[in-house]
Amino acid sequence: MKYLQAENLFEDYIDTDKNIYVHIDKTYRVIDCNLSFCGFLNSSRSELVNSTVLEIVDADDKAKFIALVDSAFKEKPLKDKAIIFLRDANGVKAPYKFEFNMVKENSGKISGMFIKLDKFVEKKSQSTFSTTWKAIYKSLSESYAIITSTMKNVILTSNPGATAILGFPKEIIQGKDVSAFVQSTPENLEKFKKLKKDMEQFGKASIEIEIMDSKNEMVPMHFSISNIISNNLPIGRLAVGRDLREEKALEKANKAYEIKLQNQSKLAEFGMMIQGVAHNLNTPLTGMKSSAQLMQKKIERLISALENDEADKDDVLKTLESIQKSNEMIVASTIKQEKIINNMMSKARQEQSSDMEELDISAIVEQELEFMLANQFFKNEVEKFFELKKGISKIYGIYSDFSQVFTNLIKNALDAMYDTKEKQLFVKVYEENDKIIFRIKDTGTGIPDDIKDKIFNPFFTTKPKYGSKTKGPTGTGIGLDNVVSILKAYNGNVQYKTMVDIGSEFLIIIPISQNQKNKIAGLK
């Protein structure tokens, strides 16, 4: 870094040079200048002395200029040469080469900076880049908010898109701290903390956050942010924001439609289950009725024989033994009915609960499989192989989350075997390496290669749409999407393998320790 003495900085040749020369202090105020500087601003020297040189620096380059000047005064210059955009008295913007020397008093103390500004002629490649950037800026201006800021998050520029989305004129947006448009909630503070960390580490980041508009309404936006680099140094930040209101509204509409389909599908399934339950209840009820009628006839004959003194002791004992067996059958049928009813009531009660509780995954799967026996196809036509490990670690969660996951996968397996010759269902629950694993395998039709990447998409299904007039299974296309969405909250995941005409196998993997840590938070 070169130093000049404070005396006689403005020699005659400098005063008349076509380049701009200006002497400034630490506060960017003009101490002296040459005639070219006066002409640049169409002002006299006396008018310009004590004015701030920042007035001629373009808003986009103010942060860069300040960084260069401040570093030089600290005698740790970032650069002694750079390109700075200036605006003349008419507001015309042009690039200038920026060079400086530090000014020392006789005492050796640095008192100012002697700056030379030489008009810069852009190379063709730079001009092409500038044209391309302007085209991008213009094309994005209406639908995207484009904002530049200092490294300390003070907004320098904003495009028409920012005004259109937020409802503030650019004069209000510019000069404000970014945080002025964001509510200071714990969630937002946490997001900004992560954003700062990513910017420091990678020089770029993204954030989804709600911005307050001119009507004090919250606008959901997604911002992609990156550092603005000049001469290999970050001098500011560029943020491109996308308005998410339409997307969120569409998501909400889709979610409402999804919930409607779920409810309709559940009602239809519930109707079928009720029929199955009625059938399951009717079987023991028929046995109870027949046994009771038979007991009644035996008792009537026994009473008649005793009244007429025609009863033989051996015959009486045989009749009583027969009555006892019929009674035992009635008791057994009653217990079976009680189990069916209790299972229904327990499931209905737990399905309605949204509380976090300690869960035994094996017990949930066992209960779902028991309840599925109301499905006559499952009960009578499918060969079943269950291996449900007892005593596995418990996790904290919502019962209906897991019952819904298992029911969706069991139902999909049954649907896949509806028209196959061999119908075998394998269900296994076990614990391995701090994970609970639910494995379900069928001998169904399998999944063709051309749709493997679509099966988890919402509303995608190869079955006839729900409501279709068909005897076979129908679908809504939201089952597997729901499975993935639910498991995400528990850091769980889905894996599968399949072969066409052989069958499919799905694995649900749920981490144990991570979900046990939720115990205190979940029970509050």
Side-chain angles (χ1 to χ4, degrees):
M1 186 166 64
K2 295 180 181 179
Y3 298 91
L4 300 175
Q5 291 300 314
E7 297 88 356
N8 303 318
L9 289 176
F10 285 89
E11 303 290 345
D12 290 342
Y13 80 92
I14 288 178
D15 201 33
T16 59
D17 194 286
K18 66 176 182 177
N19 293 323
I20 294 172
Y21 289 88
V22 59
H23 180 194
I24 67 169
D25 63 15
K26 292 181 180 181
T27 63
Y28 322 112
R29 294 198 172 277
V30 176
I31 298 172
D32 204 350
C33 62
N34 70 344
L35 292 175
S36 293
F37 187 76
C38 295
F40 186 78
L41 290 178
N42 194 25
S43 301
S44 66
R45 185 177 279 135
S46 61
E47 290 174 324
L48 293 174
V49 170
N50 288 327
S51 66
T52 176
V53 74
L54 293 177
E55 291 179 357
I56 70 167
V57 181
D58 184 69
D60 289 342
D61 274 1
K62 274 187 170 59
K64 176 181 176 182
F65 180 81
I66 290 170
L68 290 169
V69 172
D70 288 354
S71 67
F73 273 107
K74 293 175 183 176
E75 298 192 71
K76 294 181 180 179
L78 299 174
K79 291 284 182 179
D80 57 4
K81 294 181 182 179
I83 303 298
I84 298 291
F85 279 84
L86 307 180
R87 290 188 180 273
D88 62 18
N90 298 315
V92 177
K93 177 181 172 181
Y96 283 76
K97 293 179 184 178
F98 169 90
E99 298 179 43
F100 70 89
N101 292 298
M102 302 312 295
V103 180
K104 280 185 176 181
E105 300 291 342
N106 291 332
S107 62
K109 181 182 178 181
I110 295 176
S111 62
M113 176 183 285
F114 190 66
I115 301 171
K116 176 186 176 183
L117 296 164
D118 180 17
K119 195 164 187 179
F120 177 70
V121 179
E122 291 183 287
K123 294 179 182 178
K124 186 175 180 181
S125 60
Q126 290 174 315
S127 180
T128 302
F129 174 80
S130 178
T131 302
T132 303
W133 164 246
K134 287 176 181 176
I136 294 171
Y137 185 90
K138 185 177 180 180
S139 66
L140 293 176
S141 63
E142 293 183 1
S143 54
Y144 285 80
I146 303 177
I147 294 169
T148 61
S149 71
T150 67
M151 295 297 289
K152 294 183 178 180
N153 299 321
V154 176
I155 297 172
L156 296 173
T157 63
S158 61
N159 73 326
T163 295
I165 293 170
L166 299 179
F168 292 109
K170 66 178 183 179
E171 292 79 15
I172 298 294
I173 298 174
Q174 291 169 197
K176 291 282 196 311
D177 191 285
V178 171
S179 61
F181 300 97
V182 181
Q183 284 188 329
S184 297
T185 62
E187 183 182 1
N188 286 339
L189 291 174
E190 190 64 31
K191 286 183 178 180
F192 272 115
K193 185 178 178 181
K194 184 180 183 304
L195 176 68
K196 182 180 178 181
K197 183 179 178 181
D198 288 346
M199 291 300 297
E200 289 174 352
Q201 187 173 356
F202 307 111
K204 60 182 180 179
S206 63
I207 187 172
E208 187 173 314
I209 200 165
E210 288 186 324
I211 301 296
M212 195 179 303
D213 68 9
S214 59
K215 297 177 182 177
N216 287 329
E217 295 178 354
M218 304 310 293
V219 180
M221 296 191 71
H222 179 276
F223 281 97
S224 295
I225 306 163
S226 59
N227 284 336
I228 301 171
I229 305 297
S230 177
N231 297 321
N232 296 320
L233 291 169
I235 60 166
R237 287 173 178 159
L238 171 69
V240 179
R242 180 164 55 92
D243 187 345
L244 299 179
R245 280 177 291 193
E246 288 188 10
E247 185 176 314
K248 294 292 183 183
L250 184 60
E251 283 180 5
K252 189 175 181 180
N254 281 342
K255 190 64 180 176
Y257 179 61
E258 182 179 326
I259 291 171
K260 182 180 178 181
L261 276 181
Q262 279 182 336
N263 290 338
Q264 290 177 340
S265 179
K266 283 182 178 179
L267 282 173
E269 289 177 22
F270 185 69
M272 292 179 65
M273 288 295 180
I274 289 297
Q275 293 179 29
V277 169
H279 181 274
N280 289 345
L281 287 172
N282 195 50
T283 300
L285 187 62
T286 301
M288 290 167 64
K289 183 179 178 181
S290 298
S291 295
Q293 288 173 340
L294 187 59
M295 283 173 61
Q296 182 66 28
K297 289 180 179 178
K298 290 178 179 178
I299 290 170
E300 288 174 356
R301 285 199 297 268
L302 181 59
I303 291 172
S304 176
L306 289 171
E307 287 177 343
N308 298 320
D309 293 325
E310 297 174 356
D312 180 77
K313 182 179 179 181
D314 291 336
D315 289 340
V316 170
L317 289 173
K318 286 180 182 179
T319 302
L320 289 173
E321 287 175 0
S322 177
I323 291 171
Q324 185 179 20
K325 287 181 180 179
S326 295
N327 187 64
E328 287 173 355
M329 182 180 290
I330 291 173
V331 171
S333 296
T334 303
I335 292 171
K336 187 175 182 180
Q337 283 186 320
E338 186 179 37
K339 184 179 179 182
I340 293 171
I341 293 169
N342 286 341
N343 190 41
M344 282 185 64
M345 291 180 68
S346 174
K347 180 174 173 60
R349 183 175 61 254
Q350 289 172 307
E351 288 287 356
Q352 291 174 6
S353 173
S354 59
D355 294 333
M356 295 282 284
E357 58 182 307
E358 194 174 55
L359 301 175
D360 182 332
I361 296 300
S362 277
I364 293 175
V365 174
E366 184 176 20
Q367 188 174 45
E368 291 306 306
L369 291 170
E370 183 75 25
F371 190 74
M372 287 294 290
L373 289 172
N375 182 317
Q376 297 305 302
F377 174 75
F378 175 71
K379 181 180 179 181
N380 301 318
E381 298 187 39
V382 177
E383 193 176 359
K384 295 169 276 291
F385 302 89
F386 302 152
E387 187 180 339
L388 310 178
K389 186 75 174 178
K390 302 292 184 182
I392 64 174
S393 299
K394 294 181 180 180
I395 63 171
Y396 280 78
I398 299 173
Y399 175 92
S400 59
D401 284 348
F402 291 98
S403 67
Q404 188 174 345
V405 165
F406 302 139
T407 299
N408 282 337
L409 291 172
I410 294 168
K411 186 176 182 301
N412 280 351
L414 296 180
D415 289 348
M417 295 188 291
Y418 187 77
D419 288 322
T420 58
K421 184 177 180 181
E422 189 177 37
K423 298 175 175 61
Q424 293 182 334
L425 182 71
F426 302 83
V427 178
K428 185 176 181 180
V429 178
Y430 57 99
E431 182 178 337
E432 182 178 276
N433 298 327
D434 195 39
K435 294 178 178 68
I436 295 172
I437 300 173
F438 167 82
R439 185 189 298 266
I440 181 166
K441 181 180 178 182
D442 62 63
T443 54
T445 55
I447 304 169
D449 290 340
D450 60 336
I451 65 167
K452 282 182 179 179
D453 59 343
K454 301 176 183 178
I455 63 171
F456 294 105
N457 293 348
F459 306 113
F460 175 80
T461 181
T462 56
K463 306 171 194 174
K465 291 291 184 180
Y466 168 76
S468 302
K469 294 181 179 179
T470 176
K471 292 183 179 179
T474 59
T476 60
I478 57 179
L480 287 177
D481 174 54
N482 271 346
V483 168
V484 173
S485 298
I486 290 170
L487 289 174
K488 191 178 293 182
Y490 298 93
N491 295 305
N493 64 81
V494 186
Q495 297 176 7
Y496 76 96
K497 53 186 178 181
T498 184
M499 289 184 67
V500 175
D501 296 330
I502 300 296
S504 301
E505 182 176 20
F506 278 78
L507 268 73
I508 300 297
I509 303 170
I510 308 161
I512 297 172
S513 297
Q514 291 182 48
N515 289 298
Q516 287 179 330
K517 290 176 183 177
N518 292 336
K519 176 178 179 180
I520 296 175
L523 293 180
K524 284 184 178 179

